[in-house]
Amino acid sequence: MAGRGDPPEEPPESQADGEDEYRALVFDESFVRAARLQEFSAQERMGEHARAVRSVPRRPPRKGPGLAGTLVVLVALAFASAVYIGFRQPLPDPALGRAEPLQATVVPLAPRGAVPGGSPRSLIEHGPAAHFRIGSAGINLPAVRRTENFSETQIMAALATAKDFLVESSLDPDVLGGRETGTVKALLDPDQAAEFDLSMGSASGDDRHPAAGWLVRFDPARAELADPAIRVYGTLAYTETDAGRLEVVADHTFTYALRPAVNGPRQADGASLFTVHRLLHFRFDRDDLRLHRLELRTAYVQAGPQSCSSGASPALRPLLAGERADPAGPAGTDPYATGTPAGGLCGTLEISPPLGQAPPAPASPSPASPASPISVSPSLESGPAPRPVPSPWPEPGRILRGAGGA
């Protein structure tokens, strides 16, 4: 026999082949919790039909923050993040509004007698445009100084865009001949695109939407360029109107040598001069400066020699060498009629000095001199110096003028 502390010599009878017969039964913690049984006391078991055990009621679930609390926390975090991002990255400036419709005035200048003719060279050398520069060289940018809200770079961008518009709308041969308009439209604010298309598509002419307010275009059935060297003289000026806008005024005179648009040989002395004075008022916001575009607010145009009846034409109809203005004069206007007035403006073309006399050289304005108030003259004249025109700015003392094309 084995002693008290010695193990038995043979394995217990309950074991088979050294294996525990209850090893296959696994009572893990989850199984025990799921049973939830409790033994009755001895007194309770003495009763009739008493059960040996009873089920323990399930514990109520622990109360936590739940779904509503989680949503509140997420909303608070999102709001805090939005506030933080707003301080770090402020919103851009709000839009300043849509571009306004163009206000254009086109005044045909009628000659008193027959239009002088000659060769393009002789007409230029003995006329008031003898000292004008050729092409874009006559559109000079002024010296600039930063304003309260615009840097020198931004002001130069506005002036450069205005110059590009003048070049495309006044000097491009395809635009002058009526074969191209897209290059001018590409420089306009998109809000003015529909109005521009309406002006270009008007076949009969429209006093409310004159094409000459946007660009210089000659009737291809009447005239064409006799000399591609177009003479130009004028000035550019700028001012800041508020914290979000910059305005530029272009005051330029363009002199063209034209000839009749007919097939076959032409006479060498069959050319004549045509003068267009354009006073254009541009406006720029910060998007315009960034995208190289502009808004054309007002256009005041004097063009001649023309007949007074050609004011509403879809294109300029020049009077050529030897031709005279329509003796009928401008159309009558009834002040008692309602609606849009039917009459138009017309002026008399006065060239000083007359053709054939050597003109004096035009004086260049001082780059830093402030502009003086401009008054309206009862007579409309064409000459080397900028003529009196209505001032587009109520405070001309703030304008900075640049050198002209002399």
Side-chain angles (χ1 to χ4, degrees):
M1 283 184 69
R4 175 177 297 182
D6 296 332
E9 296 178 357
E10 295 181 1
E13 296 181 358
S14 60
Q15 294 182 356
D17 298 331
E19 297 292 336
D20 188 358
E21 61 178 325
Y22 297 105
R23 182 172 296 180
L25 299 178
V26 179
F27 298 96
D28 56 3
E29 184 179 358
S30 60
F31 176 81
V32 175
R33 285 201 307 266
R36 297 188 181 278
L37 299 178
Q38 183 177 357
E39 185 179 0
F40 286 94
S41 65
Q43 185 177 1
E44 291 175 334
R45 291 197 300 269
M46 292 174 61
E48 186 178 0
H49 305 296
R51 297 177 60 186
V53 295
R54 61 184 176 187
S55 299
V56 178
R58 296 178 61 90
R59 290 184 179 181
R62 296 181 61 185
K63 295 183 178 181
L67 180 59
T70 304
L71 291 177
V72 171
V73 172
L74 292 177
V75 170
L77 290 176
F79 179 77
S81 300
V83 172
Y84 175 76
I85 294 175
F87 279 112
R88 290 292 301 273
Q89 298 179 357
L91 296 176
D93 296 336
L96 295 175
R98 296 177 58 86
E100 299 176 1
L102 170 64
Q103 299 179 6
T105 301
V106 180
V107 182
L109 303 179
R112 294 184 181 274
V115 177
S119 66
R121 180 176 180 179
S122 63
L123 292 173
I124 291 293
E125 290 181 351
H126 298 88
H131 299 284
F132 289 8
R133 291 184 177 180
I134 297 176
S136 60
I139 307 174
N140 294 331
L141 304 184
V144 301
R145 296 194 302 266
R146 67 167 292 116
T147 62
E148 182 178 357
N149 296 285
F150 290 93
S151 65
E152 294 181 0
T153 302
Q154 291 174 316
I155 296 173
M156 287 300 298
L159 293 171
T161 305
K163 178 176 180 177
D164 290 343
F165 183 86
L166 291 172
V167 171
E168 296 295 339
S169 63
S170 308
L171 301 177
D172 187 349
D174 290 332
V175 174
L176 298 176
R179 299 180 295 273
E180 175 64 47
T181 60
T183 55
V184 179
K185 181 180 177 181
L187 294 171
L188 292 173
D189 189 291
D191 292 341
Q192 292 188 311
E195 184 184 5
F196 178 84
D197 292 337
L198 180 62
S199 299
M200 297 301 105
S202 178
S204 60
D206 186 352
D207 286 335
R208 297 183 58 185
H209 304 89
W214 301 99
L215 49 79
V216 178
R217 179 173 63 179
F218 301 114
D219 186 351
R222 284 193 54 83
E224 63 182 15
L225 286 176
D227 186 356
I230 302 169
R231 303 302 177 111
V232 184
Y233 173 80
T235 60
L236 284 170
Y238 69 90
T239 187
E240 178 184 338
T241 56
D242 53 44
R245 288 190 178 95
L246 190 68
E247 300 195 358
V248 173
V249 167
D251 188 355
H252 290 80
T253 299
F254 302 86
T255 301
Y256 307 88
L258 303 180
R259 62 188 177 190
V262 295
N263 297 325
R266 298 181 176 86
Q267 298 180 358
D269 59 351
S272 59
L273 296 184
F274 190 86
T275 303
V276 179
H277 174 217
R278 305 182 75 191
L279 179 63
L280 306 180
H281 185 192
F282 306 109
R283 182 166 62 184
F284 300 82
D285 57 27
R286 297 188 184 278
D287 287 340
D288 294 333
L289 296 176
R290 179 173 53 88
L291 299 175
H292 191 66
R293 68 190 189 192
L294 52 81
E295 175 190 348
L296 181 57
R297 294 192 60 192
T298 61
Y300 185 85
V301 180
Q302 300 168 340
Q306 291 187 101
S307 293
C308 292
S309 58
S310 63
S313 300
L316 299 175
R317 298 178 57 84
L319 294 175
L320 303 175
E323 295 182 340
R324 296 177 178 269
D326 187 354
T333 302
D334 182 5
Y336 296 96
T338 59
T340 303
L345 298 176
C346 188
T348 301
L349 180 62
E350 294 285 351
I351 298 179
S352 176
L355 293 177
Q357 300 181 11
S364 299
S366 173
S369 62
S372 57
I374 305 174
S375 60
V376 179
S377 173
S379 62
L380 303 176
E381 298 182 353
S382 174
R387 288 163 298 285
V389 291
S391 173
W393 288 337
E395 300 181 29
R398 298 176 57 191
I399 302 174
L400 304 178
R401 282 200 181 272

